[in-house]
Amino acid sequence: MNAPMNSRSKVVEAIDVHKSFGPLEVLKGINLAVRKGEVVCLLGPSGSGKSTFLRCINHLERMTQGRILVDGQLIGYHERGGALDEMSGRELAVQRRDIGMVFQRFNLFAHQNVLTNISQAPILNRGQSKDAAVARAKELLKMVDLEGREQAYPNQLSGGQQQRVAIARALAMDPKLMLFDEPTSALDPELVGEVLGVMRKLAADGMTMIVVTHEMAFARDVADRVVFMDQGVVVEEGPARDVIDNPQHERTRAFLKRMH
Amino acid sequence: MSAQKIIPARHWGQRLVAVFLIAIVAFAIYMVATSRHISWSTIPQYIFDETILDGIRLTILFTVLSMVISIVAGAILATMRLASNPVLSSFASLYIWFFRGTPLLVQIIFWFNIQLFIPSIDLGFLQMDTNVVVTAFVAALLALSLNEAAYMAEIIRGGLLAIDDGQNEAAKALGYTPAQAMIRIIFPQALRVIIPPIGNQTISMLKTTSLVSVVAAQDLLTRAQNIYARNFLIIELLIVASLWYLLMTTIATALQYMIEQHFGRSSRQPVGSWRAALRVLRAEGTKG
Ligand SMILES: Nc1ncnc2c1ncn2[C@@H]1O[C@H](COP(=O)(O)OP(=O)(O)OP(=O)(O)O)[C@@H](O)[C@H]1O
Ligand SMILES: [Mg+2]
């Protein structure tokens, strides 16, 4: 956490990102840089555009203006003579292989068992042999504390277990960056801890992470930086403890007060 | 304390109706069985008649071919209908509207008479009389398939829409290409929604094929008609045909039941591929 950030390369660089749904402007010029190994938590009230911004990073959402680079690569577009040409579905797929994403509602593939959920993408799209992918899947399952559950189907698992499988599934692609969109919001309170535990482990292992969350204790302990968003703009950002314990902006203060 | 005897409510109304129904059915059976106008002895003689058996083969061929063609065409139409391009989706909507909105019988007769407005087919290197290409068989198959495709498109579209969008998003986020997401994630799950109605359509198609007898397409009903045109054993041959239709739909229903059982059981352990359906069919085949 105390390593000199500036000496590390930028994994994510978002420049002036705008997004509108019809007449509604949801993102009004977001700038954000995330360095290698950094954990950034996105905070903000409901509807402030956190999910939308996260989904722009892997181009699940098409932004209306601005640009996002992941590992120096422009996401979603080819730059051709001043214009941005949107990539084809196949090209987007190739870019997304380096960006893991964990959803609020897990979204495990309902017709596949845990092992297939985790190992299919690396076999199809990373050229891994079946044996290698299965061995790696078992390793990851151990990491998320689900050893021996290879044959279970998603509907046989608790929410917390499903989310841990979802994390393992994303990690199986060896992403350079992990995006989490409220990974514990759909969980019963007693299951939140096991998922946050896995995320702490990941952070400690040096994974670059952007986490949308309402878990203030997690943000305070684990994040290197927090970014507070409201109504489509970044209101305040800084080291996690500074912002959470001593917010400078009125809107941040009001939000944090409601969270406690 | 001694147990009191429990007497369930007696439904007198239902009993009365039941008695009435038994009387009607008994009377109908008596009427048919004792009728001097039906020569029962001729039925066994025609049931395995070579002509009838040929007709059955063609009826099954029509059913299988038109179902296969309509499933492929229906999948394409469903994908078009869900496409973001307005021309593609409008074309699919128009197709479905037209083919579901006009009677199948009219469509069969239309295809059979297509040469009236397209007398010859000219492909540059190849010129042919339309009559030579569009035989009764081809006209019947075209009509059944194109009509069924409209219904299939709606069934498949319903199946695709039933899958939570999160499944597609997760596949995208993992770097599946759109084709991979469709083939590996969406379609296998949609299959479980689609299979029961496809089964119903297939059973229905077994009987619907009899409509092609209007263009004498040599299906089971056409053959029965051909025979009774010569010997006037109309009721007898209709009974023969009906017995065969009943047998075919009964077998098809049993098959459907087994496939659905298999996929139903899989609500805990989903299978999600045609291989599973084929495995059931093969397993049952070796048992029988
Ligand atoms: N597909 C969409 N079409 C139209 N409006 C949308 C769409 N997705 C999001 N919005 C709108 O964009 C705004 C921002 O939504 P977003 O989901 O990014 O907020 P959020 O910060 O993630 O909120 P929450 O904490 O509730 O998840 C909201 O007003 C929402 O209604
Ligand atoms: Mg959200």
Side-chain angles (χ1 to χ4, degrees):
Chain A
M1 241 187 275
N2 297 320
M5 297 283 174
N6 291 331
S7 67
R8 290 195 244 158
S9 60
K10 287 175 186 168
V11 175
V12 181
E13 194 173 10
I15 304 156
D16 193 32
V17 174
H18 289 253
K19 170 71 189 176
S20 301
F21 291 107
L24 178 70
E25 192 170 33
V26 171
L27 300 177
K28 300 167 185 164
I30 304 284
N31 292 288
L32 180 72
V34 180
R35 292 174 188 283
K36 197 164 168 18
E38 213 182 353
V39 177
V40 173
C41 279
L42 280 183
L43 313 179
S46 182
S48 55
K50 307 179 297 291
S51 299
T52 306
F53 176 63
L54 208 63
R55 291 159 56 81
C56 284
I57 296 176
N58 63 357
H59 203 72
L60 282 183
E61 213 71 77
R62 184 185 295 128
M63 54 195 175
T64 30
Q65 193 188 316
R67 56 182 55 208
I68 292 175
L69 298 125
V70 172
D71 220 31
Q73 253 197 6
L74 184 62
I75 291 296
Y77 301 91
H78 294 292
E79 192 157 20
R80 290 201 185 103
L84 294 180
D85 274 351
E86 192 174 26
M87 289 181 172
S88 70
R90 292 184 68 88
E91 291 170 316
L92 288 171
V94 172
Q95 283 194 329
R96 288 180 182 132
R97 285 168 199 165
D98 290 335
I99 307 171
M101 187 170 214
V102 174
F103 300 87
Q104 185 173 352
R105 293 184 52 244
F106 331 133
N107 296 345
L108 290 182
F109 301 135
H111 63 304
Q112 297 178 344
N113 64 18
V114 166
L115 190 64
T116 311
N117 259 286
I118 299 173
S119 62
Q120 185 169 266
I123 294 172
L124 285 178
N125 294 325
R126 284 275 192 240
Q128 287 186 17
S129 72
K130 191 166 179 236
D131 290 346
V134 167
R136 174 88 172 114
K138 289 187 171 169
E139 220 172 86
L140 286 166
L141 278 177
K142 198 166 167 185
M143 199 274 266
V144 299
D145 239 343
L146 283 168
E147 229 177 337
R149 299 310 302 270
E150 289 86 357
Q151 301 308 322
Y153 281 84
N155 60 1
Q156 297 168 319
L157 300 174
S158 73
Q161 292 172 326
Q162 288 188 54
Q163 194 61 298
R164 285 182 281 146
V165 173
I167 293 173
R169 176 176 72 171
L171 291 174
M173 289 296 281
D174 286 322
K176 295 176 179 140
L177 164 71
M178 285 284 284
L179 308 174
F180 295 83
D181 191 0
E182 300 198 32
T184 58
S185 295
L187 298 177
D188 292 336
E190 73 269 23
L191 301 179
V192 169
E194 62 193 45
V195 172
L196 292 181
V198 168
M199 291 169 64
R200 277 170 198 268
K201 232 189 285 184
L202 259 187
D205 285 351
M207 176 60 76
T208 311
M209 296 160 62
I210 302 180
V211 184
V212 175
T213 186
H214 292 296
E215 298 291 334
M216 288 306 143
F218 175 85
R220 195 173 172 282
D221 286 358
V222 182
D224 299 297
R225 208 145 45 94
V226 302
V227 173
F228 177 74
M229 279 176 67
D230 193 13
Q231 292 172 16
V233 296
V234 173
V235 174
E236 181 168 356
E237 70 169 294
R241 279 157 205 259
D242 293 1
V243 174
I244 292 173
D245 295 341
N246 188 20
Q248 298 302 305
H249 207 283
E250 183 49 45
R251 279 196 267 174
T252 319
R253 244 175 263 146
F255 172 76
L256 288 170
K257 209 171 188 178
R258 263 183 287 128
M259 294 309 295
H260 290 311
Chain B
M1 240 175 102
S2 67
Q4 273 174 310
K5 199 177 168 201
I6 293 167
I7 302 162
R10 294 188 182 85
H11 301 282
W12 291 110
Q14 287 189 15
R15 289 185 183 194
L16 205 70
V17 174
V19 169
F20 185 65
L21 284 177
I22 290 171
I24 288 184
V25 171
F27 180 70
I29 291 174
Y30 175 80
M31 278 281 291
V32 174
T34 61
S35 168
R36 273 177 286 114
H37 305 294
I38 300 176
S39 65
W40 288 101
S41 57
T42 56
I43 289 178
Q45 178 187 325
Y46 280 108
I47 205 137
F48 295 113
D49 186 286
E50 221 16 77
T51 316
I52 294 287
L53 295 183
D54 276 346
I56 290 167
R57 275 179 215 119
L58 220 61
T59 288
I60 293 173
L61 189 66
F62 274 133
T63 305
V64 171
L65 284 182
S66 61
M67 286 315 288
V68 169
I69 296 171
S70 67
I71 287 170
V72 173
I76 295 169
L77 282 168
T79 318
M80 285 170 70
R81 180 107 201 247
L82 295 171
S84 52
N85 185 314
V87 178
L88 297 191
S89 65
S90 308
F91 173 85
S93 301
L94 201 71
Y95 181 99
I96 293 164
W97 170 76
F98 182 80
F99 281 90
R100 293 207 307 182
T102 55
L104 176 55
L105 193 52
V106 173
Q107 292 173 30
I108 294 170
I109 299 170
F110 170 81
W111 287 110
F112 187 64
N113 291 299
I114 188 87
Q115 88 280 359
L116 292 181
F117 91 99
I118 307 177
S120 68
I121 295 167
D122 189 352
L123 297 173
F125 61 95
L126 187 70
Q127 284 166 317
M128 274 183 301
D129 250 12
T130 303
N131 263 342
V132 178
V133 183
V134 187
T135 57
F137 177 86
V138 172
L141 188 62
L142 263 177
L144 292 174
S145 306
L146 295 184
N147 178 266
E148 186 62 26
Y151 290 90
M152 266 321 147
E154 289 295 83
I155 289 172
I156 293 171
R157 186 172 73 104
L160 294 176
L161 287 177
I163 307 308
D164 181 58
D165 203 39
Q167 297 284 307
N168 192 32
E169 293 216 320
K172 274 192 195 168
L174 278 166
Y176 285 67
T177 63
Q180 283 174 338
M182 182 50 103
I183 294 167
R184 305 269 176 176
I185 308 300
I186 308 300
F187 197 65
Q189 295 184 60
L191 210 53
R192 290 168 59 207
V193 183
I194 292 170
I195 278 179
I198 285 187
N200 293 341
Q201 292 296 108
T202 308
I203 291 163
S204 171
M205 181 59 85
L206 273 169
K207 296 167 289 169
T208 304
T209 52
S210 62
L211 285 179
V212 306
S213 62
V214 289
V215 297
Q218 304 306 319
D219 69 309
L220 175 54
L221 185 58
T222 310
R223 304 296 176 122
Q225 288 174 332
N226 288 347
I227 298 173
Y228 71 59
R230 277 183 271 114
N231 62 14
F232 300 108
L233 295 168
I234 297 175
I235 301 294
E236 291 77 357
L237 277 147
L238 288 180
I239 291 175
V240 167
S242 298
L243 287 173
W244 277 114
Y245 281 119
L246 272 174
L247 182 70
M248 287 191 283
T249 50
T250 306
I251 292 173
T253 308
L255 225 55
Q256 180 195 25
Y257 176 77
M258 283 171 344
I259 294 171
E260 277 178 27
Q261 278 286 298
H262 187 82
F263 278 85
R265 231 184 288 137
S266 63
S267 63
R268 297 209 113 231
Q269 271 126 48
V271 201
S273 77
W274 273 113
R275 246 173 288 147
L278 294 177
R279 219 181 299 132
V280 186
L281 290 176
R282 242 180 273 128
E284 301 300 335
T286 52
K287 252 183 251 164

